[in-house]
Structure formats: structure tokens, C-alpha cells
């Protein structure tokens, strides 16, 4: 995917090196293609435009929650830059031509309301966008903010000795698929020996609410605990995004991941499916996942404690930054952390 986008960076004959995600213009950093948001210095002194866009197909069966997930997914790319305030959002919505008029009249307003409610939770509003009719339903948007330099955190400052923190569990793709397989006998037969129907429904609920959760608190705490860079975990999976982040580091470092926090029972489901998802290898796509943050070792535990105190959800130290060749790897037998570790009657987490 990044290869396809590289063509956009070579206009005007400015061939850029492999690590040319950054340029420094009048001491204001510029980030181009390949990271979570583009950061563009404005012609008005000292300010930068930080902007991102994203869209995808519905993956849960609740239209309202789908709207919330789509909005959280879009705005997450700003949070990965440590940006906590979003000035404006646009919504991009393609309504499937296969839907009946009644389906459209029910589903579309619910998705739009979910998107708007999530934007409101983020302290911003939706002030435009585009709606079209399309063979497939898609939803997404654009998030934009104008920042002073101290409002965003450049993602390229990891140093040897930092640790890697992850703020949401992995396994959303596995949970959503397992839920769909409840109605597909051949697929369900592959996993029913390792998981119950109740387990699958619970994992699906956990995935849905995790995906709808904003990464805003994590972005705020990145400033408080001196984060050296971050990315959010989405379509490229944990290892893909960790590699993207490692590749643009200024220092010669490598990321090593030892721990994999995974929605309860989803590691067993993934194993029962052979290597179909690649969850334990870090290849499983996530939607609206957590932030992967490089933090000073002495401040990481306090970050995790603080986010749990504020939000009621865990974060985990999952790896380290060592001397290396700007790449990431997961150790041979990573420790799987079941999330939550214990089931509580009537509670998701």
C-alpha cells in the first residue's frame, strides 16, 4: 500500500530517500505519506495543519456503534500524533444501492448519529462531508486540526532503553469473524472445540466497545509522560504498524515485542484456524486499535496506571526499544495476556 502512495511524494522532481517522511521547513516539521497524519507547516507563522482521512466497510451489526467506530478510527490518527484537540470533522458515507428504502431510512441515520456522538465525545463536530450511493456501504471521514508545535509529538524520537506500551487489546478482527461464524456451520465447526457461543458473543461485544473507544486520554498522557513517538494499530496489524514506526526513527533502533494482550479466548480461536489471521505473528488487521507508544522506561508504568485510573481500562508494556536497524519483530514465543484475565459475571471487562 505504501508503495502505491510513494508516487505522490515525488512531484517536482524532488526524489526523496527511503526515510523521507519528514522535511523541516523553517524549523517546523512536515510529515508526509507513511505515517498516521500529515503535518503541513502553514504560511501563517509557527502553525501546522494536521490532517488525516480514513474509511472502511461496516464490520459490526449495530449501525449506531458502527458510526462510533468509524469516527473513533478516523480521529485516532490525530491522537497517535499526540494531538488532543480536533478542529473539524467531515463524514464520508457511501450508501449501498442493494439496501431497500426502509433499510436506508433506518440504518443511515443511526450510523450518522453514532459518528456525530463520537465526534462530540472528542470535543469536535461534523461540519460537512459527502454522501454517495455505491455498490458497497462504506463509512469514514476526515479529521483536521491547526496546531502549534507543542501540541503534537513527532513520532521519530525513540531511544535505546525506551519501552513500548499498547493501550487496547488485540484480536478485533478475530472476534468479529468468530461472531459471524456462529451462523456458518462449516466455520463454526473449526472453532467450537476451543470456544463457546457465549465466549464468542462476549468477545464480539468487547471488540465492539474497544473499537468505539477514543484514544484521546492516551494522547493527553503522551505529553505528561514524555512519549518519544507513537502510532495507532489498525489495518497493518501490530507488527506492520510497529515496523512503520521503527522505519522512520532518527536513531538506529529496533523494536522487540514480548507480550501480546489479546481479547479473551481469541488467541485460541486464531490457533484453531491455523494461520488464517496471523494474530500471534502480529499480522492480524485491527480496526480502531490502541496506540503503540515509545515511552521512557521509568515513566511507562505510571502512564499505564494513570490511563487505567482515568478510563478504567488497562494498558500494557509489550516490548522494548534496543539498538537495531529500524525494524520491529515479535519474539518466537510471545506471552499472550488474556484480556480480561478473569471473567466477571455481568461485566465485559
Amino acid at each position: 500500500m505504501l508503495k502505491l502512495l510513494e508516487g505522490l511524494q515525488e512531484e517536482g522532481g524532488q526524489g526523496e530517500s527511503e526515510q523521507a517522511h519528514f522535511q523541516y521547513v523553517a524549523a517546523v516539521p512536515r510529515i508526509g505519506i507513511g505515517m498516521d497524519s500529515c503535518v503541513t507547516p502553514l504560511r501563517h507563522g509557527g502553525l501546522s495543519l494536521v490532517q488525516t482521512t480514513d474509511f472502511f466497510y461496516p464490520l459490526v451489526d449495530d449501525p449506531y456503534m458502527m458510526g462510533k467506530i468509524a469516527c473513533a478510527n478516523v480521529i485516532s490518527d490525530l491522537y497517535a500524533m499526540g494531538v488532543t484537540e480536533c478542529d473539524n470533522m467531515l463524514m464520508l458515507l457511501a450508501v449501498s444501492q442493494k439496501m431497500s428504502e426502509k433499510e436506508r431510512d433506518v440504518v443511515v441515520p443511526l450510523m450518522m448519529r453514532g459518528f456525530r456522538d463520537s465526534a462530540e465525545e472528542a470535543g469536535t463536530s461534523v461540519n460537512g462531508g459527502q454522501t454517495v450511493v455505491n455498490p458497497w456501504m462504506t463509512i469514514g471521514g476526515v479529521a483536521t486540526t491547526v496546531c502549534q508545535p507543542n501540541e503534537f509529538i513527532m513520532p521519530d524520537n525513540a531511544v535505546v532503553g525506551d519501552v513500548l506500551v499498547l493501550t487496547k487489546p488485540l484480536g478485533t478482527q478475530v472476534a468479529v469473524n468468530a461472531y459471524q461464524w456462529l451462523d456458518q456451520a462449516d466455520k463454526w465447526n473449526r472453532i467450537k472445540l476451543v470456544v463457546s457461543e457465549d465466549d464468542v458473543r462476549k468477545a464480539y461485544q468487547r471488540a465492539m466497545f474497544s473499537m468505539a473507544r477514543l484514544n484521546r486520554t492516551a494522547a493527553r498522557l503522551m505529553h505528561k509522560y514524555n512519549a518519544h513517538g507513537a502510532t495507532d494499530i489498525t489495518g497493518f496489524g501490530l507488527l506492520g504498524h510497529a515496523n512503520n514506526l521503527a522505519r522512520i526513527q532518527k536513531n538506529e533502533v529496533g523494536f522487540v515485542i514480548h507480550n501480546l494482550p489479546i481479547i479473551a479466548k481469541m488467541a485460541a480461536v486464531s490457533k484453531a484456524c491455523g494461520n488464517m489471521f496471523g494474530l500471534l505473528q502480529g499480522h492480524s488487521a485491527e480496526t480502531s486499535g490502541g496506540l503503540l507508544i515509545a515511552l521512557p522506561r521509568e515513566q511507562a508504568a505510571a502512564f499505564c496506571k494513570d490511563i487505567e485510573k482515568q478510563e478504567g481500562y488497562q494498558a500494557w508494556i509489550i516490548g522494548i526499544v534496543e539498538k537495531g536497524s529500524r525494524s520491529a519483530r515479535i519474539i518466537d514465543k510471545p506471552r499472550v495476556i488474556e484480556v480480561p484475565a478473569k471473567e466477571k459475571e455481568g461485566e465485559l471487562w
Side-chain angles (χ1 to χ4, degrees):
M1 201 54 138
L2 291 177
K3 271 202 160 35
L4 295 175
L5 294 172
E6 275 167 13
L8 292 174
Q9 298 213 127
E10 287 165 16
E11 287 171 21
Q14 295 176 345
E16 298 186 73
S17 72
E18 197 181 345
Q19 283 190 58
H21 298 288
F22 305 115
Q23 296 163 317
Y24 288 81
V25 180
V28 180
R30 169 193 291 266
I31 297 181
I33 286 149
M35 283 312 293
D36 295 301
S37 301
C38 62
V39 177
T40 310
L42 295 177
R43 57 187 185 279
H44 310 293
L47 295 173
S48 293
L49 180 74
V50 183
Q51 197 166 42
T52 182
T53 186
D54 214 324
F55 66 89
F56 54 86
Y57 308 107
L59 74 168
V60 297
D61 56 10
D62 180 330
Y64 175 77
M65 288 301 288
M66 192 58 239
K68 286 196 83 167
I69 291 165
C71 182
N73 192 60
V74 173
I75 206 167
S76 180
D77 286 333
L78 292 187
Y79 296 145
M81 297 292 301
V83 172
T84 59
E85 304 300 325
C86 177
D87 292 330
N88 185 46
M89 289 199 81
L90 306 175
M91 190 189 316
L92 305 173
L93 184 62
V95 182
S96 173
Q97 60 205 31
K98 292 173 188 163
M99 292 173 106
S100 68
E101 203 172 320
K102 189 175 182 185
E103 284 170 336
R104 269 183 224 177
D105 289 348
V106 172
V107 169
V108 174
L110 281 169
M111 283 177 95
M112 291 173 85
R113 194 190 312 158
F115 195 98
R116 283 209 180 94
D117 284 356
S118 182
E120 201 173 295
E121 206 182 307
T124 187
S125 57
V126 182
N127 294 302
Q130 172 74 314
T131 307
V132 295
V133 177
N134 192 53
W136 309 278
M137 185 141 204
T138 61
I139 182 165
V142 181
T144 306
T145 195
V146 174
C147 284
Q148 294 176 328
N150 65 339
E151 291 182 272
F152 60 88
I153 294 171
M154 290 299 284
D156 60 345
N157 291 309
V159 297
V160 172
D162 280 354
V163 297
L164 301 170
V165 167
L166 183 65
T167 65
K168 286 187 190 178
L170 306 165
T172 54
Q173 183 191 39
V174 182
V176 166
N177 276 274
Y179 179 74
Q180 290 168 355
W181 293 349
L182 289 173
D183 300 323
Q184 299 171 36
D186 57 327
K187 301 264 179 66
W188 176 243
N189 287 337
R190 291 171 67 179
I191 64 170
K192 68 181 184 185
L193 295 176
V194 298
V195 73
S196 70
E197 282 194 34
D198 192 47
D199 290 333
V200 167
R201 290 182 201 282
K202 212 161 187 184
Y204 170 74
Q205 291 289 324
R206 284 172 174 146
M208 186 161 62
F209 284 99
S210 177
M211 290 186 287
R213 213 173 97 219
L214 297 175
N215 283 321
R216 195 180 188 192
T217 304
R220 279 203 191 103
L221 294 178
M222 280 168 63
H223 292 268
K224 183 175 176 181
Y225 293 101
N226 303 308
H228 290 152
T231 185
D232 65 335
I233 307 303
T234 50
F236 295 129
L238 175 64
L239 190 59
H241 288 284
N243 262 314
N244 285 349
L245 187 61
R247 193 168 61 240
I248 52 92
Q249 294 306 310
K250 281 191 224 159
N251 299 313
E252 288 186 9
V253 294
F255 296 165
V256 184
I257 294 164
H258 303 97
N259 302 322
L260 299 176
I262 294 173
I263 294 169
K265 310 283 200 306
M266 293 305 101
V269 169
S270 186
K271 281 180 188 165
C273 298
N275 210 14
M276 181 178 167
F277 297 104
L279 179 60
L280 300 183
Q281 291 74 38
H283 301 308
S284 185
E286 303 291 336
T287 299
S288 190
L291 298 188
L292 177 70
I293 309 167
L295 281 163
R297 181 185 292 273
E298 62 280 7
Q299 295 190 277
F303 174 99
C304 294
K305 204 174 281 183
D306 206 340
I307 198 167
E308 187 165 5
K309 186 177 158 196
Q310 289 192 43
E311 288 201 309
Y313 295 102
Q314 273 181 287
W316 302 267
I317 295 171
I318 66 161
I320 57 166
V321 178
E322 61 178 28
K323 193 157 176 53
S325 55
R326 298 189 179 90
S327 63
R329 67 183 176 89
I330 295 175
I331 62 167
D332 278 348
K333 290 186 177 168
R335 174 174 162 240
V336 171
I337 301 167
E338 296 273 311
V339 184
K342 282 193 189 126
E343 296 289 341
K344 291 181 194 162
E345 191 64 43
E347 288 181 40
L348 274 188
W349 304 102

